[in-house]
């Protein structure tokens, strides 16, 4: 028999056990709550499973579980569970289960009853037949569950189940579920927020990459669909007054094809209306909403029952498109879903503007790069043109023949204008013909005959007669036109047909020299051309260069003729002034010599000596003139021989004995030999004309490494200070000496003659 003391002790033990259980329960809750602090998103699901295991073991349950409703409250998904050893998992059976499948159970949960408690399945009422069958299938003997509520909405439930035998669930177990319900709601909400943030980061990372706008928007739709199970996302882009597909992941392609190019309006579904009104459009039931009258049958055909659309706006407030959320059952959005669609539309706007800005920047960069490349090509082309023109000017000013110069110009022009052939013709309008003067890339079969009818070259008649640049691409039947042209002779027809078959375009530029038409410069191309202004300018420039070359050749020819005539005149004067007069004097003396010899032999011998000197001088003058005519002979002969001819000529010309003395025979370079010859020639001419000397002398001393030339006379001399360097050829003699590294010294005084010394050495040269 239990005494009062025993009863008191038993009560005390019960209270102590209850306190101990409560402390353990609070410790379990503390550990679980602490474990979720700062838990990464990808660890939250494993954390929930660990928590279910801890509370299941603590409560002595065979299974602890967590299930969630979809945002529309129409579907149920078993998301997490823990099972004791030997208890099969059941979460797989509860995926996308309609709440109508178990109405009695869901009604209790969704009515926010604080606890759903089934001590045994035999205790279930008749209206719970569906639940009784499911519990039996899962092997459940008893069950307790409490709803999870977030922001006034039931989002799911957690519970314990017993499978081995019916179980009476103590109040502490129910309290544990109620407290864990709040913990799991917070954890799941945190997971949802983290998922949204992670999705936004993924979206922004993708936005920063080089993906296309379609790829970026598709990723956004996929992220939103992952966060909103059962939702089907769609982005449409506005172009003018029509909507075009931007991105979709789950909507049927046939439906998307049907609404492609949808024109916006006040009653054009959700998206067409939202884009037209620039405001959100919420259609809870497509089957009933008048805004879907024109599209209802299409939407219902693919099982679409609700559609909420948010306009996608630019930073300036312009409509860029729409973001829509479709559902397969009628429903209105929750506050969370409204925030989600607003966020999605904002992100879509950011993506569209960013990608369009990227595309604009890329296009601007491409345009800039293209302009830089074009400018670089232009600069390179101009540099090539400038270099070609410099080369052309250099060759024009050279001594090369006109044919070589024209061929060079034609080759340069062909390369710079990237033509396959270039031809230069001269024209003879009197005979209505043209003659090939130069060519590059011209086929051998077109080179002969050189002279052709004026109509033979392409555009020649128009170019020449109108003096205009003519260009164009050949039409397909251009060769046949030539063969049918009755104005052409048969050979010219065949020639023009050959040209028009081989080439696809031509450019013809007239050559005009001093207002006179000379001919044309024609470029041939095997592919059609645009014939830009720059191309025409370069062609005209080369035509001008060719005209300049021809004009220079003509001027050079006239100058050469004038120089030859002037040289012949000078030689005639020199022959008259020196050789002719000398021979005339010798002839007169020879005529009187026989009579004088009879009367006075001594005087006759003197006259005979004069004849000898005169003829010798004339011979020397002739040799000197021959050297002038043939400068190469001067370089080939010995300098001493050339100086002897000068001395003899001066003696014959002025009657002044000139003595030549050669002290060395060291060979001299050609330029030194020529300079010394010219200096001696100038000095002896001065003596003959101005010195009034009785005697003159020339001394050449050529030694290894050095030497000097001295020309002296005993004439009237001159005052160096009173005579300018340009007088008497003194400056010219000094320049000739300086050019070969020699020094000139002039010593002269009035009444004391003149001495000119030219000295050189290898150290000074």
């Amino acid at each position: 028999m239990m005494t009062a003391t025993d009863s008191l002790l038993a009560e005390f033990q019960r209270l102590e056990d209850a306190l101990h259980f409560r402390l353990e329960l609070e410790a379990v809750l503390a550990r679980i709550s602490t474990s979720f602090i700062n838990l990464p998103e990808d660890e939250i699901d494993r954390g929930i499973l660990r928590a279910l295991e801890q509370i299941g073991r603590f409560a002595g349950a065979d299974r602890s579980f967590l299930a969630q409703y979809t945002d529309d409250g129409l579907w149920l998904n078993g998301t997490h569970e823990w099972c004791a050893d030997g208890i099969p998992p059941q979460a797989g059976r509860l995926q996308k289960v309609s709440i109508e499948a178990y109405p009695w159970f869901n009604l209790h949960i969704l009515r926010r009853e604080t606890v759903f408690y089934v001590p045994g399945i035999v205790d279930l009422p008749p209206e719970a037949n569906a639940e009784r069958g499911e519990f039996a299938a899962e092997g459940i003997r008893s069950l307790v569950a409490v709803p999870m509520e977030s922001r006034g909405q039931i989002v799911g439930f957690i519970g314990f189940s017993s499978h081995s035998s019916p179980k009476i669930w103590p109040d502490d177990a129910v309290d544990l579920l109620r407290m864990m319900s709040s913990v799991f709601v917070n954890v799941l909400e945190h997971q949802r927020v983290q998922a949204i943030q992670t999705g936004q980061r993924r979206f922004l990372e993708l936005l920063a990459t080089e993906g296309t706008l379609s790829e970026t928007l598709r990723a956004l739709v996929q992220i939103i669909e992952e966060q909103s199970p059962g939702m089907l996302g769609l982005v449409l882009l506005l172009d003018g007054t029509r909507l075009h597909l931007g991105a979709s992941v789950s909507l049927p392609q046939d439906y998307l094809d049907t609404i492609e190019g949808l024109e916006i309006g006040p009653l054009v579904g959700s998206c067409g209306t939202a884009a037209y009104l620039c405001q959100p459009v919420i259609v809870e039931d497509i089957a009933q909403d008048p805004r879907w009258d024109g599209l209802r049958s299409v939407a219902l055909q693919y099982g679409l029952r609700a559609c909420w659309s948010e306009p996608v706006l630019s930073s300036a407030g312009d409509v860029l498109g729409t973001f829509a959320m479709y559902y397969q059952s009628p429903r209105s959005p929750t506050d969370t879903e409204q925030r989600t669609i607003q966020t999605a539309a904002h992100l879509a706007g950011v993506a569209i503007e960013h990608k369009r800005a990227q595309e604009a920047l890329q296009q601007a960069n491409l345009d800039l790069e293209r302009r830089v490349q074009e400018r670089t090509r232009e600069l390179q082309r101009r540099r090539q043109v400038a270099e070609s023109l410099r080369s052309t000017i250099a060759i024009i000013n050279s001594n090369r023949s006109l044919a070589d110069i024209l061929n060079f110009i034609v080759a340069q022009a062909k390369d710079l204008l990237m033509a396959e052939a270039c031809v230069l013709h001269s024209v003879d309008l009197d005979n209505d013909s043209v003659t090939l003067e130069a060519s590059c890339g011209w086929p051998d079969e077109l080179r002969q005959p050189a002279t052709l009818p004026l109509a033979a070259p392409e555009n020649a008649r128009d170019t020449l007669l109108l003096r205009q640049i003519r260009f164009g691409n050949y039409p397909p039947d251009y060769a046949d036109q030539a063969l049918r042209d009755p104005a052409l002779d048969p050979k010219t027809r065949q020639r023009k047909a050959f040209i028009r078959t081989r080439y696809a375009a031509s450019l013809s530029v007239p050559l005009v020299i001093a207002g006179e038409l000379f001919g044309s410069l024609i470029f041939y191309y095997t592919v059609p051309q645009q014939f830009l202004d720059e191309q025409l300018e370069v062609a005209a420039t080369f035509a001008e260069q060719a005209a300049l070359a021809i004009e220079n050749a003509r001027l050079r020819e006239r100058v050469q003729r004038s120089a030859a005539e002037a040289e012949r005149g000078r030689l005639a004067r020199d022959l008259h002034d020196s050789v002719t007069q000398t021979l005339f004097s010798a002839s007169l003396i020879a005529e009187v010599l026989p009579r004088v010899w009879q009367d006075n032999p001594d005087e006759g011998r003197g006259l005979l000596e004069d004849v000898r000197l005169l003829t010798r001088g004339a011979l020397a003058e002739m040799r000197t003139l021959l050297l002038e005519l043939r400068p190469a002979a001067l370089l080939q002969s010995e300098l001493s021989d050339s100086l002897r001819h000068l001395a003899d000529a001066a003696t014959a010309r002025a009657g002044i004995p000139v003595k030549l003395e050669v002290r060395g025979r060291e060979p001299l370079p050609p330029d030194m030999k020529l300079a010394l010859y010219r200096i001696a020639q100038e000095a002896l001419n001065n003596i003959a004309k101005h010195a009034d000397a009785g005697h003159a002398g020339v001394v050449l001393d050529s030694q290894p490494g050095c030497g000097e030339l001295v020309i002296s006379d005993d004439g009237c001399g001159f005052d160096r200070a009173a005579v300018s360097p340009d007088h008497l050829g003194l400056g010219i003699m000094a320049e000739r000496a300086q050019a070969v590294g020699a020094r000139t010294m002039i010593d002269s005084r009035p009444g004391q003659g003149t001495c000119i010394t030219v000295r050189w050495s290898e150290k000074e040269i």
Side-chain angles (χ1 to χ4, degrees):
M1 182 175 180
M2 182 176 292
T3 63
T5 302
D6 293 334
S7 298
L8 184 61
L9 289 174
E11 180 64 19
F12 180 77
Q13 183 64 43
R14 187 186 64 79
L15 292 175
E16 184 178 8
D17 291 341
L19 179 60
H20 180 71
F21 182 85
R22 194 71 181 180
L23 291 175
E24 288 184 354
L25 185 149
E26 291 178 357
V28 169
L29 288 174
R31 286 196 302 272
I32 293 175
S33 299
T34 302
S35 68
F36 284 111
I37 297 175
N38 298 325
L39 193 64
E41 178 194 354
D42 57 355
E43 291 290 332
I44 289 179
D45 286 328
R46 283 191 287 270
I48 292 175
L49 293 176
R50 288 193 296 270
L52 288 175
E53 180 182 1
Q54 292 181 57
I55 63 174
R57 292 186 182 280
F58 183 82
D62 293 327
R63 175 172 168 263
S64 57
F65 53 87
L66 184 154
Q68 299 181 63
Y69 293 105
T70 57
D71 291 340
D72 56 8
L74 301 178
W75 306 90
L76 176 67
N77 292 295
T79 56
H80 303 80
E81 71 176 347
W82 166 82
C83 298
D85 294 340
I87 304 300
Q90 302 298 325
R93 294 173 55 87
L94 299 175
Q95 297 300 314
K96 203 172 183 180
V97 177
S98 173
I99 61 172
E100 296 177 359
Y102 307 110
W104 181 78
F105 173 81
N106 286 302
L107 180 64
H108 283 77
I109 294 295
L110 293 175
R111 284 195 314 195
R112 294 180 174 82
E113 294 186 5
T114 58
V115 62
F116 177 83
Y117 181 34
V118 179
I121 61 173
V122 296
D123 300 325
L124 291 173
E127 59 267 25
N129 285 335
E131 287 80 355
R132 181 182 295 105
E134 177 62 27
F135 292 161
E138 294 183 21
I140 296 175
R141 306 291 296 277
S142 62
L143 177 144
V144 61
V146 298
M148 296 190 302
E149 184 176 350
S150 174
R151 298 179 183 179
Q153 181 179 355
I154 300 300
V155 297
F157 54 87
I158 63 171
F160 297 137
S161 61
S162 175
H163 295 251
S164 56
S165 61
K167 184 177 178 65
I168 302 299
W169 301 99
D171 293 340
D172 290 333
V174 175
D175 291 341
L176 177 59
L177 288 176
R178 289 195 183 101
M179 287 184 283
M180 286 306 302
S181 170
S182 298
V183 172
F184 285 148
V185 165
N186 291 332
V187 169
L188 291 172
E189 182 64 24
H190 178 66
Q191 184 184 37
R192 185 185 184 94
V193 171
Q194 280 192 327
I196 293 173
Q197 293 174 346
T198 301
Q200 291 179 352
R201 283 196 300 271
R202 284 168 52 197
F203 170 75
L204 294 176
E205 289 171 359
L206 183 62
L207 191 63
T209 63
E210 299 299 322
T212 65
L213 176 60
S214 177
E215 293 171 343
T216 303
L217 294 178
R218 180 179 173 84
L220 174 63
V221 171
Q222 188 169 14
I223 290 169
I224 300 301
E225 287 187 355
E226 289 174 354
Q227 297 170 6
S228 305
M231 186 274 287
L232 310 175
L234 173 65
V235 177
L236 295 177
L237 302 178
L238 182 64
D239 182 9
T241 61
R242 294 187 177 275
L243 293 169
H244 300 279
L245 178 63
S248 175
V249 175
S250 303
L251 283 169
Q253 185 61 46
D254 291 342
Y255 175 72
L256 298 175
D257 294 339
T258 302
I259 65 171
E260 171 61 24
L262 185 70
E263 187 166 6
I264 64 174
L267 296 171
V268 186
S270 300
C271 295
T273 305
Y276 182 82
L277 300 177
C278 190
Q279 64 185 29
V281 172
I282 305 298
V283 173
E284 299 177 6
D285 188 354
I286 292 176
Q288 303 297 327
D289 198 295
R291 287 169 292 191
W292 276 83
D293 286 349
L295 299 169
R296 180 177 295 111
S297 60
V298 176
L300 296 179
Q301 177 184 350
Y302 295 100
L304 305 176
R305 296 298 305 273
C307 180
W308 319 324
S309 183
E310 183 83 13
V312 176
L313 304 179
S314 70
S315 56
D318 299 324
V319 177
L320 302 176
T322 59
F323 188 98
M325 300 174 72
Y326 285 83
Y327 288 88
Q328 293 177 319
S329 59
R331 57 171 302 225
S332 60
T334 64
D335 293 342
T336 300
E337 289 168 337
Q338 286 183 333
R339 288 193 299 271
T340 299
I341 193 173
Q342 291 169 0
T343 300
H346 172 70
L347 292 177
V350 171
I352 294 170
E353 283 199 304
H354 178 74
K355 288 299 181 181
R356 288 181 177 177
Q358 271 189 336
E359 291 172 358
L361 179 61
Q362 290 173 352
Q363 186 61 46
N365 289 334
L366 290 175
D367 291 342
L368 177 60
E369 184 178 351
R370 177 181 53 79
R371 289 196 295 269
V372 169
Q373 291 175 347
E374 290 176 354
R375 181 60 176 167
T376 301
R377 285 195 297 269
E378 179 183 355
L379 292 175
Q380 290 175 344
R381 188 175 182 83
R382 290 185 177 182
R383 184 172 63 252
Q384 291 172 347
V385 171
E387 292 174 353
S388 178
L389 292 179
R390 282 196 297 270
S391 301
T392 302
I393 292 173
I395 196 170
I396 288 175
N397 294 324
S398 68
N399 293 323
R400 297 175 65 173
S401 66
L402 178 60
D404 289 343
I405 294 174
L406 293 181
N407 281 317
F408 179 84
I409 293 174
V410 166
Q412 291 283 311
K414 168 187 168 295
D415 291 341
L416 275 179
L417 273 81
M418 293 179 285
E420 276 66 43
C422 182
V423 180
L424 190 150
H425 290 107
S426 61
V427 62
D428 183 354
L429 295 179
D430 294 336
N431 295 314
D432 203 25
S433 65
V434 294
T435 300
L436 179 65
E437 301 290 347
S439 66
C440 183
W442 199 230
D444 292 338
E445 48 266 57
L446 296 176
R447 293 180 180 274
Q448 297 297 329
T451 300
L452 302 164
L454 182 59
E458 286 300 312
N459 299 322
R461 183 177 292 276
D462 292 341
T463 301
L464 294 171
L465 298 182
L466 300 178
R467 298 191 181 188
Q468 295 177 350
I469 296 178
R470 301 304 295 265
F471 55 86
N473 297 314
Y474 300 162
D477 61 340
Y478 206 38
D480 293 336
Q481 292 180 24
L483 294 173
R484 296 192 302 267
D485 191 344
L488 303 177
D489 62 82
K491 289 185 178 180
T492 303
R493 286 184 203 145
Q494 293 294 333
R495 182 183 183 89
K496 290 183 77 72
F498 178 83
I499 292 174
R500 294 176 179 183
T501 302
R502 187 181 184 95
Y503 301 106
S506 62
L507 164 63
S508 181
V509 186
L511 295 178
V512 180
I513 303 173
E516 176 186 352
L517 181 65
F518 176 84
S520 64
L521 185 66
I522 307 177
F523 300 87
Y524 291 93
Y525 299 87
T526 56
V527 294
Q529 300 291 303
Q530 292 183 345
F531 292 111
L532 304 176
D533 291 342
E534 180 187 359
Q535 193 174 4
L536 303 182
E537 291 173 2
V538 173
T541 300
F542 275 104
E544 293 172 358
Q545 295 298 316
L548 177 61
I550 296 168
E551 187 175 14
N552 277 2
R554 291 178 174 178
L555 291 174
R556 188 180 298 112
E557 184 179 353
R558 286 198 292 268
V559 168
Q560 289 173 349
R561 285 200 302 266
S562 298
E565 291 173 359
E567 183 65 14
R568 285 195 295 271
R570 185 185 70 80
L571 290 175
R573 289 192 300 273
D574 288 346
L575 284 171
H576 179 271
D577 294 343
S578 58
V579 178
T580 303
Q581 291 182 3
T582 300
L583 292 177
F584 180 71
S585 298
S587 176
L588 290 176
I589 295 172
E591 286 180 2
V592 300
L593 181 58
R595 293 193 298 271
V596 174
W597 188 276
Q598 286 180 352
D599 297 337
N600 188 347
D602 291 336
E603 185 179 354
R605 279 190 290 272
L607 290 175
L608 187 60
E609 179 62 23
D610 290 341
V611 171
R612 188 185 68 81
L613 292 175
L614 287 172
T615 56
R616 182 178 177 183
L619 181 60
E621 286 285 357
M622 286 298 296
R623 287 174 176 168
T624 301
L625 291 176
L626 289 173
L627 288 176
E628 293 292 330
L629 290 173
R630 296 168 55 241
L634 175 62
L635 300 177
Q636 293 170 0
S637 63
E638 292 289 340
L639 179 59
S640 58
D641 295 338
S642 301
L643 293 177
R644 183 171 290 106
H645 296 322
L646 288 176
D648 291 344
T651 298
R653 188 183 314 120
I656 302 171
V658 179
K659 181 182 179 181
L660 173 64
E661 181 180 354
V662 179
R663 297 176 182 172
R665 296 287 182 175
E666 183 68 19
L668 296 172
D671 55 345
M672 179 68 74
K673 185 189 297 184
L674 181 59
L676 295 178
Y677 175 83
R678 295 300 184 191
I679 292 172
Q681 185 181 40
E682 187 70 30
L684 290 174
N685 285 339
N686 286 338
I687 292 173
K689 293 179 181 180
H690 309 292
D692 193 22
H695 296 87
V698 177
V699 178
L700 175 63
D701 186 4
S702 177
Q703 303 296 332
C706 62
E708 66 178 8
L709 173 68
V710 180
I711 306 100
S712 61
D713 67 81
D714 58 0
C716 62
F718 61 91
D719 184 359
R720 288 291 308 278
V723 177
S724 68
D726 295 333
H727 189 54
L728 301 176
L730 301 178
I732 294 176
M733 288 189 281
E735 289 176 2
R736 291 184 185 279
Q738 186 178 5
V740 293
R743 291 180 294 116
T744 304
M745 293 161 286
I746 301 175
D747 183 16
S748 181
R749 293 181 180 84
Q752 297 183 16
T754 300
C755 179
I756 298 175
T757 303
V758 181
R759 187 171 295 145
W760 70 92
S761 67
E762 290 183 354
K763 294 181 180 180
E764 296 176 349
I765 295 177

